[in-house]
Amino acid sequence: MANDPIKQFEINTIVPLENVAGLDLSFTNSSLFMVATVATASAFLYFGSANRGLVPGRLQSMAEMSYEFVASMLRDAAGSQGMRFFPFVFSLFMFVLFANLFGMFPYFFTVTSHIIVTFALAMLVIGTVIIYGFMKHGLKFLGLFVPEGVPGVLVPLVVAIEVISFLSRPISLSVRLFANMLAGHITLKVFAGFVVSLGALGAVGIGGAILPLIMVVAMTALEFLVSFLQAYVFAVLTCMYLNDALHPSH
Amino acid sequence: MAADKPTRTPAGDQQDGRVVSNPNADLEQRRRALEEALAQRAPSGDAADDGRQEGAGTGIAAALKLSSEFVAGILVGAGLGYLLDQVAGTSPWGLIVFLLLGFAAGVLNVLRAAGMVAHPAAGKRGERLGDGPGSQQGDD
């Protein structure tokens, strides 16, 4: 079934390492593309910053732009104190961006279309927020859950709601990235499948296949936009959550 | 202004309107004042910017964003309730209560994601928020 829209998300074992201390540590196509993502992002930044020209070349200019972009995002959301998290946010942004863009190559695997990957990234963010928040502010960090100006009777209810809202952050953060990538790739595949199956129907079919073909071309452009936008949204929300850890403000 | 005032009718209309449709005009004016006041109170911070950015991309992005926020709240509420039931043996009350709390948290998430309620820690960047609900004292 070349048209199966789900087949592109299958995980295949490349190097089987099925029982290392009771864990399945097989090297899969997902791992391969994660390695490729990290290698490409590192290479991009390494070669981008290798020349150190006063007048930047194209690659250096792009590397500088991505630095400036993330740095200003973080400074806006979390203040200059937030810059201590810059390496973390920048790595996350570059990883998600390159993973999303890698997925746009035909026959490539999209790492971020698996919720376990995005959930691990989101847990990393929330874990950092919780650990750093308690380290820096101690129990005052819990003041994050008590909004000001709430009548005393309602405080337990509001605190319960705020705690659930806080705990739901990693889920919504991961589900958003995963669902966007999954839905985008499935839609692309389905419309591309229409082109093939209509084209097989003869002259009328070829005429009818033009519409989904236009759609696929337009949606490919849209998917590139979504790839960037989701990396941006992931990084922005990371900055906002880190701001909570830096300034619980209650 | 003074030159074309006699030739134009609005002044006259307004005088008529004040007599005939005074309640409507008054209502309109009050509604406008309320809208302005609400616009001032609404958080103009990152949540709103974020929403606009995504909305520019595609409606699907906005739909996924809001629905994921809502579903996440409910899932976490139900999960907590279920765990509580398993530990304390209070089935099904923990699930019921926490599912409802999760529903409330989901609605809160959606309102925050849509930029209608201020983010809890937004008070630190309070100068942009005016006297919004999350506004805080400036120290700490």
Side-chain angles (χ1 to χ4, degrees):
Chain A
M1 275 296 276
N3 273 345
D4 186 353
I6 303 292
K7 196 160 188 313
Q8 55 180 322
F9 303 116
E10 255 173 26
I11 300 237
N12 305 310
T13 302
I14 297 175
V15 182
L17 287 170
E18 260 143 34
N19 204 344
V20 182
L23 295 170
D24 185 356
L25 292 183
S26 303
F27 193 81
T28 62
N29 53 348
S30 181
S31 333
L32 177 68
F33 277 98
M34 281 188 223
V35 171
T37 302
V38 172
T40 320
S42 312
F44 164 63
L45 289 168
Y46 178 78
F47 291 114
S49 56
N51 271 332
R52 295 191 191 146
L54 191 57
V55 179
R58 268 172 292 190
L59 201 61
Q60 190 186 342
S61 182
M62 275 169 73
E64 284 177 5
M65 264 167 62
S66 44
Y67 169 85
E68 288 291 334
F69 182 67
V70 179
S72 69
M73 182 199 306
L74 186 56
R75 225 177 268 125
D76 281 352
S80 51
Q81 270 185 306
M83 286 307 278
R84 73 184 60 185
F85 289 114
F86 177 78
F88 177 55
V89 178
F90 189 67
S91 316
L92 268 181
F93 175 74
M94 292 310 266
F95 181 80
V96 174
L97 180 65
F98 273 74
N100 289 352
L101 289 177
F102 252 62
M104 292 307 296
F105 283 97
Y107 295 103
F108 274 28
F109 180 85
T110 319
V111 176
T112 44
S113 65
H114 278 261
I115 192 163
I116 191 66
V117 175
T118 59
F119 188 68
L121 293 177
M123 284 309 287
L124 194 63
V125 172
I126 298 296
T128 310
V129 167
I130 292 176
I131 291 171
Y132 185 80
F134 275 118
M135 257 174 54
K136 179 124 181 280
H137 301 281
L139 288 178
K140 270 169 79 185
F141 179 63
L142 291 175
L144 182 66
F145 301 123
V146 191
E148 199 173 86
V150 177
V153 192
L154 287 178
V155 165
L157 190 67
V158 170
V159 166
I161 291 175
E162 288 282 353
V163 168
I164 294 177
S165 167
F166 182 83
L167 291 178
S168 71
R169 280 173 178 183
I171 297 186
S172 66
L173 192 59
S174 54
V175 165
R176 188 178 308 164
L177 176 57
F178 142 81
N180 267 292
M181 299 323 290
L182 186 81
H185 282 82
I186 289 182
T187 329
L188 263 184
K189 187 88 177 185
V190 167
F191 274 95
F194 285 164
V195 179
V196 177
S197 35
L198 275 173
L201 290 180
V204 185
I206 290 176
I210 289 176
L211 283 178
L213 183 65
I214 295 172
M215 190 80 181
V216 167
V217 172
M219 274 180 28
T220 308
L222 184 70
E223 276 306 301
F224 276 105
L225 181 73
V226 169
S227 299
F228 174 77
L229 216 55
Q230 287 308 313
Y232 167 73
V233 167
F234 198 92
V236 162
L237 289 175
T238 302
C239 294
M240 283 175 62
Y241 298 162
L242 288 173
N243 182 47
D244 284 353
L246 288 161
H247 320 286
S249 86
H250 291 282
Chain B
M1 265 298 182
D4 66 358
K5 204 174 180 180
T7 58
R8 282 174 55 187
T9 45
D13 271 353
Q14 219 167 30
Q15 269 177 353
D16 289 346
R18 208 173 291 161
V19 180
V20 181
S21 61
N22 193 8
N24 265 345
D26 187 35
L27 192 65
E28 192 69 19
Q29 204 177 12
R30 275 203 265 170
R31 211 172 52 123
R32 216 168 293 139
L34 178 66
E35 263 167 21
E36 266 167 33
L38 281 178
Q40 271 183 345
R41 285 185 73 97
S44 59
D46 302 81
D49 284 347
D50 172 23
R52 220 173 298 127
Q53 278 281 347
E54 264 186 300
T58 155
I60 297 178
L64 280 175
K65 175 179 145 181
L66 295 181
S67 55
S68 71
E69 293 281 359
F70 187 58
V71 170
I74 293 179
L75 281 183
V76 169
L80 276 183
Y82 183 76
L83 280 182
L84 191 78
D85 277 347
Q86 295 297 306
V87 173
T90 48
S91 178
W93 295 106
L95 186 60
I96 293 174
V97 170
F98 274 86
L99 190 67
L100 291 174
L101 285 176
F103 185 84
V107 173
L108 184 68
N109 282 349
V110 169
L111 287 177
R112 278 200 183 126
M116 293 189 172
V117 174
H119 197 257
K124 283 315 280 184
R125 316 185 298 271
E127 66 278 10
R128 279 191 296 175
L129 277 165
D131 56 350
S135 165
Q136 284 305 313
Q137 72 278 15
D139 56 352
D140 181 15

